[in-house]
């Protein structure tokens, strides 16, 4: 009886293995590149966060100190958020006291919102939304906005979004690749896409903003037949 069971299991093993391989998808990852880690909070920045972010969650206060060390004093501080303008490669960086829950790729709260000047065509909006629900495309401002619990994940989100926009990855492939690099972060493997933008952002919103056009009905009511304001 044991011999028969062994024969059956041996016969089924290739089928089970083939099924498992068919179910598990993978995307080749580039070799890791060692880059300088994001700035550790300075003593001055830690003191600043203790003073100005009193009552905020400890992890968020430390992130604020990290951003203060990296980008200097913020442009605006309120009871609920802190904002830096033209912070490194970002057009805007905003740290929130209370974040929004988000489960992809792992459960976290989106407390850090960062925007990059980036032009996105309308036909890519659905794919970007399918890739990551924490991505927002502001066509009027010409910004691609990512929210996460760290700057590393915002770098990764925008870098992978760039792949989607350029047609280098489908939304599904982007999700798989993103999860792989989030896992790399969890086991502390250095990855370039977690540490910097791999493309050069636009220098001015004039290059990316889309102000749209006046509705034909309004234009007609105003007696303007030129096709623009």
């Amino acid at each position: 009886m044991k011999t028969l069971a062994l024969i059956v299991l041996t016969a089924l093993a290739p089928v089970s293995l083939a099924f498992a391989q068919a179910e598990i998808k993978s995307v080749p990852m580039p070799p890791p590149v060692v880059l300088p880690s994001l700035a550790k909070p300075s003593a001055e920045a830690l003191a600043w966060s203790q003073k100005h972010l009193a009552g905020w969650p400890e992890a968020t206060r430390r992130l604020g100190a990290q951003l203060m060390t990296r980008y200097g004093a913020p442009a605006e501080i309120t009871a609920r958020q802190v904002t830096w303008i033209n912070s490194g490669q970002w057009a805007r960086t905003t740290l929130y006291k209370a974040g929004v829950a988000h489960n992809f790729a792992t459960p976290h709260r989106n407390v850090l919102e960062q925007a990059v000047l980036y032009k996105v065509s309308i036909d890519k909006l659905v794919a970007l939304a399918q890739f990551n629900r924490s991505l927002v495309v502001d066509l009027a401002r010409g910004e691609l906005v990512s929210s996460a619990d760290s700057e590393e994940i915002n770098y990764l989100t925008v870098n992978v979004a760039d792949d989607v926009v350029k047609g280098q990855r489908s939304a599904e492939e982007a999700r798989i690749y993103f999860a792989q690099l989030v896992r790399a972060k969890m086991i502390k493997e250095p990855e370039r896409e977690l540490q910097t933008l791999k493309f050069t952002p636009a220098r001015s919103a004039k290059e990316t903003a889309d102000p749209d056009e006046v509705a034909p009905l309004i234009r007609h009511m105003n007696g303007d037949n030129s096709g623009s304001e």
Side-chain angles (χ1 to χ4, degrees), residues 27 131 160 167-178 180:
V27 178
F131 155 52
V160 179
Q168 297 171 354
R169 300 184 197 275
S170 67
E172 181 183 7
E173 290 169 341
R175 286 177 71 84
I176 295 168
Y177 182 68
F178 182 91
Q180 287 178 320

Side-chain angles (χ1 to χ4, degrees), residues 199-217:
F199 59 88
T200 302
R203 286 183 282 184
S204 168
K206 292 180 180 179
E207 302 174 44
T208 59
D210 180 1
D212 211 334
E213 60 184 23
V214 178
L217 174 63

Side-chain angles (χ1 to χ4, degrees), residues 42-137:
S42 66
E44 180 184 2
L46 286 170
W48 172 89
S49 68
Q50 291 292 335
K51 176 181 178 181
H52 294 281
L53 307 182
W56 289 36
E58 175 59 31
T60 309
R61 282 206 310 270
R62 185 169 181 83
L63 179 53
Q66 199 173 28
L67 294 168
M68 174 75 172
T69 301
R70 190 173 179 87
Y71 300 123
E76 181 182 16
I77 304 174
T78 71
R80 293 182 174 85
Q81 66 187 64
V82 181
T83 301
W84 288 260
I85 303 299
N86 296 325
S87 44
Q89 295 174 300
W90 307 105
R92 185 177 65 260
T93 292
T94 302
L95 181 66
Y96 294 96
K97 179 179 180 180
V100 177
H102 186 222
N103 293 325
F104 181 70
T106 61
H108 62 277
R109 296 194 71 82
N110 288 341
V111 295
L112 182 62
E113 178 185 277
Q114 294 179 293
V116 62
L117 293 175
Y118 190 95
K119 192 172 185 65
V120 177
S121 58
I122 293 177
D123 63 316
K124 296 295 183 179
L125 296 180
V126 172
L128 289 174
Q130 290 172 334
F131 155 52
N132 194 322
R133 290 170 180 78
S134 288
L135 267 176
V136 175
V137 179

Side-chain angles (χ1 to χ4, degrees), residues 190-204:
E191 294 291 344
R192 181 181 294 275
E193 296 197 47
L194 289 159
Q195 301 180 44
T196 186
L197 296 180
K198 65 180 182 180
F199 59 88
T200 302
R203 286 183 282 184
S204 168

